[in-house]
């Protein structure tokens, strides 16, 4: 593994899936074992594993675990016997389309009626995992190519090795730009309320020797006003066919601030994050998580007793605010002219 890419979040053991428990980072490095599809679905729902590509990869391994259990229970009709497990995986989280993309890919393997279904399913899950890492490395090159030497960059949420099969999407571009031409500064939003930036991105970059400075969520426009950031680089949970992009709550506000300050805005996502069946951002389901994630910090209530909360955890950035979408298949800048559709059909 290259020196600035040492973190991994998923480890397939052949008979179970190990997940680095991201709820406990950075204080503790603890791995959680998933021995069943239900364990895997719960781990996705509870954010032991998070980040769109990593969710898809975990779900793919979850299907292998579901198939193994179904074959042991009902060898004659194991595909039907998996239905409840597959439904549980499918309902784990609603916004990241990689979950549904991976489950559909695994279902195609089941439907192809392979001679050795378990081996075929395991090979498909491993391929989803390995392809994601390769896609991230490719996107790293393509995205870094667009960033001038000595640029200041700001990222949001965690889009790194922890959120993917490895290397990362937006963080992969930052990794490549940092180790290639060099960057003047890497800023990371703390990313409220779950603090993916403060807890995960900072931990991952520090572990890989890439200097990072955290900013409070609301500090980004000031940073831009002071000319300290040239590119905002973010990941995606779902890219609609017109280029509208769902990502961690706060991304839309960053894109608006970029427009006001002439800062470039880059989305980095593998083609598995593009949803060709979704025509525009208004059709992307936005996950709302429990108010406690806002009202409490760990085991301590920080909000006034009696206050309620609304906790949407994603927002949609309209394509017209995005300068470039970087995928492993190439980059899109022409959203109005059907660039995303051309990329996926091409
Ligand atoms: O709620 P999370 O932590 O799963 O949200 C993750 C994000 O929004 C990421 O930016 C996105 O999944 C891209 S990860 C490569």
């Amino acid at each position: 593994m290259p020196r600035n890419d040492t973190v991994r979040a998923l480890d397939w053991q052949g008979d179970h899936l190990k997940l680095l428990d991201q709820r406990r980072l950075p204080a503790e490095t603890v791995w959680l074992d998933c021995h069943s599809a239900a364990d895997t679905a719960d781990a996705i729902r509870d954010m032991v594993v998070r980040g769109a590509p990593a969710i898809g990869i975990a779900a793919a391994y979850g299907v292998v675990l579901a198939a193994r259990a179904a074959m042991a229970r009902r060898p004659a009709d194991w595909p039907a016997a998996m239905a409840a497990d597959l439904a549980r995986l499918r309902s784990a989280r609603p916004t990241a389309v990689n979950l549904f993309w991976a489950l559909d890919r695994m279902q195609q393997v089941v439907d192809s009626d392979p001679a050795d279904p378990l081996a075929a399913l395991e090979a498909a899950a491993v391929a989803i995992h390995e392809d994601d890492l390769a896609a991230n490395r490719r996107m790293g090159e393509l995205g870094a190519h667009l960033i001038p030497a000595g640029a200041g960059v700001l990222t949001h949420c965690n889009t790194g090795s922890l959120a993917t099969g490895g290397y990362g999407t937006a963080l992969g571009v930052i990794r490549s730009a940092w180790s290639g031409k060099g960057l003047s500064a890497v800023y990371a939003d703390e990313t409220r309320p779950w603090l993916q930036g403060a807890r995960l991105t900072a931990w991952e970059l520090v572990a890989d020797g890439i200097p990072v400075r955290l900013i409070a969520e609301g500090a980004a426009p000031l940073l831009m006003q002071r000319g300290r950031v040239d590119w905002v680089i973010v990941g995606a949970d779902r890219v609609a066919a017109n280029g509208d992009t769902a990502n961690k709550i706060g991304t839309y506000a960053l894109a608006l601030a970029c427009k006001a300050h002439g800062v470039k805005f880059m989305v980095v996502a593998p083609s598995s994050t593009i949803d060709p069946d979704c025509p525009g951002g208004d059709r992307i389901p936005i996950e709302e998580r429990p108010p406690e994630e806002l009202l409490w910090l760990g085991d301590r209530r920080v909000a006034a007793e009696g206050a309620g909360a609304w906790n949407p955890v994603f927002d949609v950035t309209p394509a017209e605010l995005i300068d470039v979408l970087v995928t492993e298949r190439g980059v899109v800048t022409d959203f109005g002219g059907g660039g995303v559709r051309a990329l996926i059909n091409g």
Side-chain angles (χ1 to χ4, degrees):
M1 223 181 268
R3 197 174 47 83
N4 75 336
D5 176 27
T6 60
V7 172
R8 291 293 178 266
L10 302 105
D11 186 7
W12 175 244
Q13 295 285 306
D15 63 344
H16 70 281
L17 176 63
K18 288 180 98 67
L19 295 172
L20 181 54
D21 191 339
Q22 300 190 30
R23 300 167 304 180
R24 298 171 70 168
L25 289 171
E28 293 173 295
T29 309
V30 177
W31 290 81
L32 190 100
D33 292 331
C34 296
H35 289 277
S36 67
D39 289 348
T40 313
D42 292 353
I44 294 170
R45 183 199 60 212
D46 296 341
M47 296 178 63
V48 171
V49 61
R50 31 66 49 202
I55 289 170
I57 296 163
Y61 287 124
V63 175
V64 180
L65 297 171
R68 179 170 299 152
M71 284 174 202
R73 240 180 15 255
R74 282 166 42 191
D77 67 339
W78 65 269
M82 288 202 299
D85 274 344
L86 297 190
R88 189 162 174 164
L89 285 165
R90 196 166 272 275
S91 64
R93 291 190 74 187
T95 304
V97 77
N98 304 61
L99 172 66
F100 312 104
W101 172 86
L103 291 173
D104 290 347
R105 241 174 97 156
M106 296 300 281
Q107 185 63 50
Q108 282 166 15
V109 176
V110 174
D111 296 344
S112 71
D113 197 16
D116 184 346
L118 212 47
L121 284 167
E122 184 170 3
V126 169
I128 287 172
H129 195 168
E130 289 177 352
D131 289 353
D132 186 65
L133 177 57
N136 291 338
R137 293 227 163 96
R138 177 75 186 129
M139 293 188 293
E141 286 167 22
L142 291 173
H145 191 66
L146 302 171
I147 299 172
V153 301
L154 167 65
T155 192
H156 189 62
C157 195
N158 172 268
T159 64
S161 294
L162 290 170
T164 64
Y167 204 70
T169 58
L171 217 57
V173 169
I174 291 172
R175 231 183 263 286
S176 293
W178 182 81
S179 60
K181 305 171 187 169
L183 296 168
S184 60
V186 177
Y187 294 97
D189 267 338
E190 59 180 349
T191 315
R192 286 187 172 272
W194 213 72
L195 301 176
Q196 285 93 333
R199 297 192 306 103
L200 307 180
T201 298
W203 180 79
E204 183 174 332
L205 289 178
V206 168
D208 283 338
I210 300 176
V212 57
R213 297 182 85 177
L214 279 170
I215 59 167
E217 211 90 323
L222 179 64
L223 195 70
M224 294 178 195
Q225 198 177 47
R226 297 210 172 160
R228 282 157 67 175
V229 53
D230 303 286
W231 278 91
V232 167
I233 309 174
V234 299
D237 286 81
R238 193 182 298 225
V239 179
N242 69 349
D244 292 351
T245 294
N247 191 48
K248 179 55 53 194
I249 191 79
T251 303
Y252 177 33
L254 282 179
L256 288 168
C258 282
K259 195 53 86 190
H261 293 285
V263 170
K264 297 278 193 188
F265 189 86
M266 180 190 294
V267 173
V268 188
S271 50
S272 54
T273 304
I274 297 174
D275 183 354
D277 299 328
C278 180
D282 55 343
R283 301 276 289 276
I284 300 177
I286 298 295
E287 178 180 11
E288 294 185 17
R289 292 188 66 87
E292 286 71 26
E293 288 184 357
L294 264 173
L295 300 170
W296 292 67
L297 200 56
D299 56 5
R300 193 166 57 91
R301 186 175 171 110
V302 288
E305 286 296 342
W310 177 51
N311 187 22
V313 298
F314 299 101
D315 57 26
V316 175
T317 300
E320 58 264 28
L321 295 178
I322 300 170
D323 290 294
V324 58
L325 166 67
V326 175
T327 79
E328 81 283 12
R329 295 193 193 177
V331 304
V332 178
T333 51
D334 170 24
F335 295 99
V340 174
R341 276 211 187 281
L343 183 96
I344 46 186
N345 296 332

